[in-house]
Amino acid sequence: TPRVFSGIQPSGDLHLGNYLGAIRRFVPLQQSHETIYCVVDMHAITVWQEPNQLRRATREVAAAFIAAGIDPQKSIIFNQSQVVQHAELAWVFNCIARMGWMARMTQFKDKAGKNSENVSLGLFAYPSLMAADILLYKATHVPVGDDQKQHLELTRDIATKFNNDYRAAIGAEGLEPDFFPITEPLIAGPATRIMSLRDGTKKMSKSDPSDQSRISLLDDADAIAKKIKRATTDAAELPNAVEGLSDRPEADNLVGIFAALSDQSKADVLAEFGGQGWGKFKPALAELAVSVLAPMADEMRRLLDDLETIDAVLRDGAERARVIAEDTMTEVRRIVGFIR
Ligand code: TYM
């Protein structure tokens, strides 16, 4: 059966990029796939997280999953640290992956900056834990935003090297030669890379110092509308076709957001708004964004009022995840030669 896995870090406020690039796309996959959605708290602590803040953010991601339409009965929703097999498989992968592979990761280079001697060892090994998340469940498909592409290529490299290095042992244990699947990234649609509302050349991100650069999932209707009305744009009217967006990053971004929020293509949006000015388009976008996001924010707040229920969802999800994870680890321990 095709199985989907994806993860979100509880490392700050969730924003529109996380929603359109990932969470919103998780929902329809529940109809066609077995789906596992994880709050990756162990990834979050690769950079310092205040413990109370980490707990708050973990529950907030879980609430966003549910408020967006992920059904905790149908899907498995859990936080990573409750299933210790993630850490166990990550260690094996640390011994499969090469230093050079990790050193090439652009996200590591961006986060470490010039001071790479002084970042955590965990930040360097981050992609190895991510490969463990995915391969522990032998997931075949991983829906993510465009910024995770390189990490998913590395996941495929780790799976391939493990399958090759241990080919004889995998055979001797009577297991399938393609023990770990070569996972397919699902990076598609008009919102794989949502940009800052202030600067169309920068990704919308949790770490941008300007609050005006992003729409947070807990923003109220007023804040959402204001941020969209103040979003940086050029002065020209909207083009009639997608090609007309090619050197207009801000326009491309806002049209992409409209398309994703209304489940249309950018071409559909331009068929409606081509030739019109921002004075028409921005209020329509603000109204659409509020109509989608405000009810979701209300539902998140309602869920976050009852921590016991949220924690029970995570605990139940972890129990179900652990069953699959332990099956894989039992095989991995035998393959590697660990005595039990
Ligand atoms: P994270 O927590 O940074 O982001 C969560 C998801 O949101 C997507 N995303 C965006 N999509 C479009 N536009 C943006 N501006 C934008 N910003 C973020 C991300 O691509 C991601 O899909 N390493 C992962 C978490 C992770 C994971 C995994 C993902 C850990 N293990 C296993 C998939 C499978 C991360 O840092 O995502």
Side-chain angles (χ1 to χ4, degrees):
T1 46
R3 184 181 278 159
V4 161
F5 181 97
S6 199
I8 308 266
Q9 293 196 71
S11 59
D13 289 343
L14 288 170
H15 55 71
L16 187 64
N18 300 130
Y19 176 61
L20 294 179
I23 301 171
R24 184 177 172 93
R25 300 176 49 233
F26 296 173
V27 180
L29 290 165
Q30 296 180 108
Q31 307 309 324
S32 46
H33 294 68
E34 199 182 325
T35 42
I36 306 177
Y37 298 124
C38 184
V39 189
V40 290
D41 47 6
M42 288 160 64
H43 276 112
I45 64 163
T46 57
V47 299
W48 169 251
Q49 304 293 328
E50 197 284 312
N52 289 314
Q53 165 62 24
L54 180 64
R55 275 184 279 267
R56 194 187 65 70
T58 298
R59 291 167 175 144
E60 195 175 298
V61 176
F65 283 167
I66 299 167
I70 297 167
D71 175 351
Q73 238 97 58
K74 195 172 268 182
S75 296
I76 293 179
I77 297 177
F78 74 110
N79 58 312
Q80 189 184 30
S81 61
Q82 289 205 65
V83 181
V84 294
Q85 286 84 350
H86 288 250
E88 192 180 355
L89 186 58
W91 181 260
V92 175
F93 287 170
N94 283 343
C95 303
I96 295 287
R98 306 289 94 181
M99 296 279 283
W101 299 3
M102 299 292 163
R104 275 198 294 277
M105 292 293 113
T106 55
Q107 197 142 10
F108 173 75
K109 288 192 274 187
D110 289 349
K111 280 200 184 176
K114 290 189 190 70
N115 197 14
S116 69
E117 291 291 303
N118 201 30
V119 298
S120 73
L121 188 53
L123 189 69
F124 190 65
Y126 182 113
S128 173
L129 177 59
M130 181 161 160
D133 297 341
I134 296 165
L135 296 174
L136 197 48
Y137 303 96
K138 299 183 179 168
T140 52
H141 297 88
V142 181
V144 282
D146 176 71
D147 60 349
Q148 296 302 312
K149 196 172 177 178
Q150 198 186 25
H151 287 156
L152 291 183
E153 279 159 16
L154 190 108
T155 299
R156 295 158 68 100
D157 291 342
I158 289 177
T160 304
K161 189 166 191 297
F162 183 96
N163 291 347
N164 283 334
D165 288 359
Y166 287 108
R167 180 183 317 221
I170 290 167
E173 295 294 339
L175 297 162
E176 274 200 50
D178 299 322
F179 179 73
F180 284 123
I182 309 305
T183 304
E184 286 293 330
L186 299 176
I187 305 172
T192 56
R193 192 175 176 82
I194 298 294
M195 309 308 277
S196 157
L197 298 179
R198 307 260 78 185
D199 176 351
T201 65
K202 277 200 336 211
K203 197 177 64 170
M204 183 178 286
S205 94
K206 293 168 188 159
S207 55
D208 193 314
S210 165
D211 185 53
Q212 295 297 309
S213 71
R214 66 183 157 261
I215 293 175
S216 294
L217 290 193
L218 286 171
D219 277 350
D220 60 29
D222 199 43
I224 296 169
K226 278 205 179 109
K227 286 177 183 179
I228 289 175
K229 282 178 192 153
R230 287 182 195 149
T232 310
T233 53
D234 52 28
E237 45 199 30
L238 287 162
N240 289 303
V242 177
E243 297 75 60
L245 293 170
S246 59
D247 17 307
R248 297 177 63 188
E250 287 86 8
D252 188 30
N253 190 41
L254 294 182
V255 170
I257 291 171
F258 195 110
L261 284 170
S262 56
D263 293 318
Q264 299 181 83
S265 66
K266 290 186 202 175
D268 295 334
V269 176
L270 293 178
E272 187 180 346
F273 289 98
Q276 303 200 28
W278 295 108
K280 274 260 159 49
F281 183 75
K282 278 185 170 178
L285 176 58
E287 195 188 325
L288 171 64
V290 168
S291 76
V292 175
L293 300 177
M296 202 164 74
D298 288 345
E299 178 64 4
M300 281 175 71
R301 279 193 210 92
R302 197 186 64 75
L303 290 161
L304 290 168
D305 268 347
D306 179 5
L307 298 185
E308 268 165 44
T309 304
I310 290 262
D311 291 1
V313 165
L314 292 172
R315 211 177 317 115
D316 170 69
E319 245 167 62
R320 289 151 62 202
R322 220 175 276 128
V323 174
I324 308 171
E326 182 55 21
D327 275 351
T328 303
M329 273 322 295
T330 301
E331 295 171 339
V332 168
R333 292 181 204 116
R334 277 166 41 207
I335 291 167
V336 171
F338 292 161
I339 290 173
R340 275 273 151 152

